[in-house]
Amino acid sequence: MNIFPGRNGPGNAAPHGLRRRRFLPALAIAAGVVLACTMGARVWSNWLAQPLMVKACSTAPGEQAEVQLSDGSRLLLDGATRLEVRYYPRRREVTLFEGQVRFDVQADDDRIFQVQAGTLRATVKDARFAVRHVPGAEGHGEVRVAVERGSARVENVTAKSADHALQLAAGQQVWGTVHGVTAVSPLGATDLSPWL
């Protein structure tokens, strides 16, 4: 017989309900930490997906324009060119809808610079290069990437495997079509003017 109220028998073991109540605060704290981490990851992911800057640029046929970006990069737009620039916390993106642009990209170790034109995407860190995009063009292809300084990784964004990516060095160019990417070829003297 237990003569001490509130105490159990041998070993004074706590009743099952009392042990459960002791662990409830710890479980609540653990659940709170998991919830905070999940919400923090979602907020961080949303922040990375939101552009810090959006800028649309275009030129009329026969018009040229130079655009200076906030990071010091410069774009020279040829006539009848339309593009959109978006800067995110971890990357800088340009979508070239049509036309021709010469890019002089300033290095930024925290943000790569990407240009999407048709089925091709060029990724650089510090380079001077040109991209020409003429949707529906006959001949070589509808997208051309030519590098004067630095290097560029060019990939077909519609391809399902990584072997559709090429590395271009200074003095090289590549053409892209809806079917893929041509072999790398050297830039000729006439290819460098007036865009490179």
Side-chain angles (χ1 to χ4, degrees):
M1 178 175 190
N2 188 358
I3 58 172
F4 298 103
R7 295 194 179 182
N8 296 327
N12 295 328
H16 185 66
L18 183 58
R19 282 193 306 244
R20 189 180 305 151
R21 277 181 278 178
R22 286 183 182 161
F23 288 112
L24 282 178
L27 288 174
I29 290 171
V33 168
V34 169
L35 181 62
C37 289
T38 302
M39 293 302 290
R42 182 169 290 176
V43 168
W44 177 255
S45 177
N46 286 341
W47 180 73
L48 290 176
Q50 296 300 315
L52 303 173
M53 183 270 291
V54 178
K55 183 179 186 115
C57 305
S58 63
T59 54
E63 175 190 11
Q64 292 183 344
E66 184 172 341
V67 177
Q68 182 85 32
L69 300 178
S70 59
D71 65 354
S73 298
R74 292 185 307 119
L75 284 59
L76 179 59
L77 283 66
D78 194 11
T81 295
R82 288 186 312 117
L83 61 81
E84 185 176 77
V85 181
R86 288 178 176 258
Y87 277 17
Y88 295 89
R90 293 290 176 91
R91 67 191 187 283
R92 301 169 286 173
E93 287 183 357
V94 174
T95 302
L96 177 59
F97 301 108
E98 64 180 334
Q100 184 165 251
V101 183
R102 175 186 172 186
F103 297 90
D104 194 352
V105 176
Q106 294 299 307
D108 184 339
D109 290 337
D110 297 325
R111 293 185 297 179
I112 58 172
F113 193 98
Q114 293 182 318
V115 178
Q116 172 90 33
T119 59
L120 294 190
R121 178 170 51 223
T123 303
V124 305
K125 284 193 172 182
D126 176 18
R128 184 179 301 132
F129 66 107
V131 180
R132 176 179 180 261
H133 180 209
V134 183
E138 299 292 330
H140 278 298
E142 59 180 30
V143 183
R144 172 185 175 247
V145 179
V147 179
E148 180 194 14
R149 176 181 53 79
S151 63
R153 184 177 191 269
V154 179
E155 58 190 315
N156 184 336
V157 294
T158 60
K160 293 188 166 86
S161 63
D163 64 350
H164 290 276
L166 300 168
Q167 191 71 26
L168 296 181
Q172 294 181 325
Q173 65 181 337
V174 70
W175 289 92
T177 69
V178 292
H179 305 294
V181 182
T182 65
V184 175
S185 61
L187 282 172
T190 57
D191 294 324
L192 294 174
S193 178
W195 290 99
L196 292 177

